[in-house]
Amino acid sequence: LQGPPCYYASVHDGGLENIAKHYPEGTIMLVTRNATKWARSIIGWNGRIMNLWADESCHFDGSLEGEGMEYWADQFESATGPNSRQKVQYWIDFYKANTQKIREFALQHLSLTYVEVELENEKMAEQLEQYTGVKQTCVPVPHPGPFWIRKHDWTSRCKTRR
């Protein structure tokens, strides 16, 4: 399979459709968070995420092409001016629209199992255990960064019950 080095099934053409086509009884899990906190986080995380997303592999710089992407290209153009509030609002809108797209897709493909949990909900680990079988103790407090991930290698210690 030859594809872009940066690929998000919910953003790139045909991604969600291919999940439904090839895994009609699969599970889509969406972990959500407050859109404003998310936008500020990705903008403020040493600029690394934004640089990765804006490079030629992701095209989240407004140059992403495909069905429905013209809207986001126009929105990005208007948000890249000197007003940083506009930039934050662009990413808030992007996040909300992407979240809604996934929800609507799940409603149109009822053979899929759809699980949505909120990242900042104190019962998230309990909900994930209920729906996935992953023990609550295997769901770490979310914290970005490769150092933290290496220090807390949960994947080798935690297995699903199912």
Side-chain angles (χ1 to χ4, degrees):
L1 295 173
Q2 200 65 15
C6 173
Y7 181 79
Y8 292 87
S10 64
V11 176
H12 291 91
D13 283 344
L16 290 172
E17 290 76 13
N18 277 318
I19 291 172
K21 178 181 176 184
H22 297 287
Y23 304 97
E25 294 178 5
T27 299
I28 293 179
M29 182 183 308
L30 180 63
V31 180
T32 62
R33 72 181 294 197
N34 175 283
T36 303
K37 288 181 182 180
W38 177 84
R40 289 187 176 140
S41 175
I42 64 163
I43 290 170
W45 204 54
N46 296 329
R48 290 186 62 210
I49 294 174
M50 297 312 318
N51 289 339
L52 290 170
W53 278 13
D55 75 8
E56 55 194 58
S57 61
C58 283
H59 299 290
F60 290 166
D61 60 354
S63 67
L64 189 64
E65 295 178 4
E67 187 178 327
M69 289 299 137
E70 301 84 14
Y71 171 80
W72 291 109
D74 292 344
Q75 293 299 310
F76 187 85
E77 286 278 323
S78 66
T80 54
N83 185 346
S84 64
R85 269 192 169 153
Q86 287 177 312
K87 194 174 200 177
V88 171
Q89 190 59 50
Y90 167 81
W91 289 109
I92 291 169
D93 293 344
F94 182 91
Y95 180 88
K96 287 179 178 179
N98 189 56
T99 300
Q100 188 60 28
K101 178 181 178 180
I102 296 167
R103 288 172 177 156
E104 289 175 8
F105 180 82
L107 283 171
Q108 294 168 357
H109 297 83
L110 297 177
S111 68
L112 295 168
T113 299
Y114 177 73
V115 177
E116 181 174 320
V117 293
E118 188 176 336
L119 181 68
E120 295 159 342
N121 180 345
E122 60 188 44
K123 295 199 179 261
M124 181 187 77
E126 182 181 325
Q127 291 170 340
L128 284 176
E129 181 175 13
Q130 177 184 355
Y131 289 107
T132 66
V134 175
K135 294 182 291 185
Q136 292 180 42
T137 56
C138 294
V139 180
V141 175
H143 188 284
F147 172 76
W148 190 90
I149 291 168
R150 280 192 304 274
K151 184 178 174 189
H152 301 90
D153 179 15
W154 296 93
T155 57
S156 64
R157 294 186 301 225
C158 296
K159 306 286 185 216
T160 60
R161 290 185 305 192
R162 295 179 190 176

